[in-house]
Amino acid sequence: MHSTGHPQVQAAAAFARDRLGERGEGAVATVGVVLGSGLGHVADVVVDNGGAAVEYGTIPHFPTSSVEGHKGRLVAGSVGGARVLLMQGRVHRYEGYTAAQVVFPVRVLHALGVRRLIVTNAAGGIGDGFVPGDLMLIEDHLNLTGDNPLVGANDARFGPRFPDMSDAYSARLREEADKVAAERSLALRRGVYAGLLGPSYETPAEIRMLKTLGAHAVGMSTVHEVIAANHLGTEVLGISCITNLAAGISKVKLSHDEVKETADRVGQAFSGLVLQLIPRLA
Ligand code: HPA
């Protein structure tokens, strides 16, 4: 049995609070950010501006990532006068962690005060006209992983047995993101994110299926975290960086290198958007 229950979340939160130099019991931050593949630059900015960091590996019960391009540290600091907690790197179900382990950090963020969560990821583009480098506001998701982090006995301290998912990606926060993007003259795509188990990329037939199902982007993360966040009553804003065209849409083979290169290239526009959003959600 993996230790991912309420006592473990509390222990991890207490340890992180201490290591981040936080005294007292109040919220460390009300805004949290999960940074996906190659999108960790925002956390570096916060650290450079006096933020504090704690490595995942030192936090009790915290899962650590084995994926190249995924750092693993929790960062606390300020952006535009607002306090923020950032996860630089995440773990995935395909690494062999249970879905409950994958969402453990989201529960720790909640225990540290986070009530609005920005989740980001690298994703393959399926939507008509999508090109690598596009940013997509996630309107909704398809959880096609065949798993759910809430499987098992429900702990009412986290949330209800059957959480509502009809506003899983808060319409209110999407409106705010639209405003900030407009202020930055940044074009945002919008659409549905399909979350698959991975780690193999999809076949062209699977991408045709996903398109028929109404997906605009595909990836291997995010959906479990968003389910856990909704369970906790945490509002979610989701942003995908379209790092490549999905299998069969372009002729080129998919590679993690392409994913990292595009994420690097778009990093600045992406970071600018997230940094401006943080104080607006605080
Ligand atoms: N498929 C799945 N996950 C991804 C992709 C993709 O094309 N690109 C980045 N993450």
Side-chain angles (χ1 to χ4, degrees), residues 4 17 56 70 80 86 128-129 151 156 159 180 219 221-222 236 241 261 264:
T4 55
R17 185 187 285 274
Y56 292 162
H70 285 262
L86 305 103
D128 289 331
V151 168
V180 170
S221 67
T222 303
V236 173
C241 171
E261 276 164 30
D264 266 357

Side-chain angles (χ1 to χ4, degrees), residues 122-124 201-202 218-220 243-246 254 259:
Y201 288 117
E202 302 71 36
V218 58
M220 307 173 193
T243 52
N244 57 281
L245 295 180
L254 271 58
V259 169

Side-chain angles (χ1 to χ4, degrees), residues 67-166:
V67 187
E68 197 199 334
H70 285 262
K71 257 195 203 167
R73 58 179 187 166
L74 185 62
V75 169
S78 296
V79 174
R83 297 283 298 160
V84 64
L85 272 162
L86 305 103
M87 284 172 57
Q88 191 170 20
R90 59 149 65 86
V91 299
H92 306 79
R93 182 71 185 79
Y94 64 71
E95 294 177 71
Y97 290 111
T98 65
Q101 286 176 298
V102 167
V103 305
F104 184 83
V106 168
R107 289 172 167 166
V108 172
L109 289 186
H110 181 268
L112 293 172
V114 168
R115 296 297 179 268
R116 261 94 51 208
L117 183 66
I118 304 176
V119 290
T120 71
N121 57 53
I126 300 175
D128 289 331
F130 280 26
V131 294
D134 282 350
L135 297 180
M136 185 188 93
L137 206 51
I138 305 177
E139 293 184 318
D140 206 344
H141 78 213
L142 295 163
N143 173 16
L144 301 174
T145 63
D147 203 353
N148 191 301
L150 308 183
V151 168
N154 187 59
D155 190 330
R157 289 170 291 187
F158 291 135
R161 172 76 287 189
F162 302 110
D164 175 55
M165 290 291 288
S166 50

Side-chain angles (χ1 to χ4, degrees), residues 15-101:
F15 180 92
R17 185 187 285 274
D18 187 58
R19 283 303 171 89
L20 293 168
E22 300 288 334
R23 302 283 163 253
E25 297 288 299
V28 174
T30 55
V31 180
V33 186
V34 182
L35 297 165
S37 302
L39 302 172
H41 177 66
V42 176
D44 294 334
V45 171
V46 173
V47 169
D48 288 346
N49 290 328
V54 54
E55 300 288 325
Y56 292 162
T58 67
I59 307 174
H61 315 292
F62 225 79
T64 57
S65 175
S66 56
V67 187
E68 197 199 334
H70 285 262
K71 257 195 203 167
R73 58 179 187 166
L74 185 62
V75 169
S78 296
V79 174
R83 297 283 298 160
V84 64
L85 272 162
L86 305 103
M87 284 172 57
Q88 191 170 20
R90 59 149 65 86
V91 299
H92 306 79
R93 182 71 185 79
Y94 64 71
E95 294 177 71
Y97 290 111
T98 65
Q101 286 176 298

Side-chain angles (χ1 to χ4, degrees), residues 211-248:
K211 185 156 188 149
T212 303
L213 293 178
H216 302 88
V218 58
M220 307 173 193
S221 67
T222 303
V223 292
H224 294 151
E225 294 155 0
V226 171
I227 290 168
N230 276 268
H231 187 228
L232 291 160
T234 295
E235 278 185 291
V236 173
L237 180 71
I239 306 169
S240 287
C241 171
I242 304 299
T243 52
N244 57 281
L245 295 180

Side-chain angles (χ1 to χ4, degrees), residues 250-264:
S250 89
K251 300 283 163 274
V252 297
K253 284 199 178 190
L254 271 58
S255 76
H256 189 49
D257 285 339
E258 184 190 4
V259 169
K260 283 188 293 181
E261 276 164 30
T262 308
D264 266 357

